[in-house]
Amino acid sequence: MDIQTIYQETIKFAAAKHHGQTVPGTNLPYIVHVSNVAMEVMMAAEHSAGFNLGFAIQVALLHDTLEDTSTTVDELTGLFGQNIAAAVSALTKNKALPQSEKMQDSLNRIKLLPKEVWAVKLADRITNLQKPPSHWSPAQINTYRNEALILLDELTGGNDYLEARLGKKIMSYDI
């Protein structure tokens, strides 16, 4: 299947699942965030030998469906296959864990999967490092920046292009 068809079929599913959700702190439909992550992944593919763009696009477009919608692993498996479902599951924080352990647990699971999954996590954080919400305190902004530094350190070796982009975003993140 060609990339355009993969993108269109997957974004339609993601848009339906995220219907009514907005990007936090904005009035933008949440699908804007999802498509921005996919765009980062598409650009990374141009700079990355052996990159499985079809797989990465689907994972990017679906990366928040388990965490933020009623989508189930079985539903993803049935529609998109076991590899996509496993990747999206790894990108999903385990709600049963204490907040302090959620990110590291997810990173540990991501690192067991193909580098395209690492790339999606890097792209997600790049996209999330926009101007901090106006209601965030300097401490919250600093915490989010520090999490991004941990993420970058943990996923070094996943995708040189996205690592460089994330490093630049972290350096310019407002405090």
Side-chain angles (χ1 to χ4, degrees):
M1 189 180 312
D2 61 83
I3 295 300
Q4 294 91 329
T5 302
I6 290 170
Y7 188 98
Q8 288 300 318
E9 289 181 3
T10 310
I11 200 166
K12 286 178 198 173
F13 176 86
K17 289 297 186 172
H18 289 290
H19 180 74
Q21 296 177 351
T22 57
V23 175
T26 75
N27 293 323
L28 294 172
Y30 196 77
I31 201 68
V32 170
H33 164 68
V34 171
S35 64
N36 282 339
V37 173
M39 182 269 309
E40 289 286 346
V41 166
M42 287 187 289
M43 295 306 297
E46 291 184 13
H47 301 277
S48 307
F51 195 86
N52 184 342
L53 182 57
F55 173 72
I57 287 290
Q58 286 186 299
V59 174
L61 292 170
L62 299 169
H63 80 274
D64 279 336
T65 55
L66 293 176
E67 193 166 284
D68 296 340
T69 77
S70 62
T71 306
T72 66
V73 172
D74 288 341
E75 186 177 10
L76 287 181
T77 301
L79 292 170
F80 300 100
Q82 176 59 37
N83 291 339
I84 298 293
V88 175
S89 293
L91 292 161
T92 302
K93 291 180 187 83
N94 182 342
K95 293 176 184 174
L97 293 176
Q99 183 65 33
S100 61
E101 297 175 23
K102 288 179 181 181
M103 186 174 81
Q104 189 61 54
D105 171 70
S106 179
L107 289 170
N108 290 343
R109 289 181 285 124
I110 289 166
K111 291 191 294 187
L112 297 173
L113 296 173
K115 300 292 185 183
E116 289 84 357
V117 181
W118 300 34
V120 171
K121 185 62 180 176
L122 292 165
D124 181 41
R125 188 51 65 109
I126 290 166
T127 301
N128 285 339
L129 283 174
Q130 304 301 320
K131 183 176 172 137
S134 60
H135 65 276
W136 276 18
S137 69
Q140 287 172 299
I141 295 168
N142 196 45
T143 296
Y144 200 70
R145 176 191 281 135
N146 288 340
E147 285 179 0
L149 287 167
I150 292 167
L151 190 152
L152 180 59
D153 181 60
E154 290 278 337
L155 297 181
T156 293
N159 187 281
D160 292 342
Y161 175 80
L162 291 172
E163 290 163 27
R165 283 197 38 83
L166 181 55
K168 288 177 188 173
K169 284 291 234 178
I170 292 167
M171 296 307 293
S172 66
Y173 194 58
D174 292 335
I175 202 155

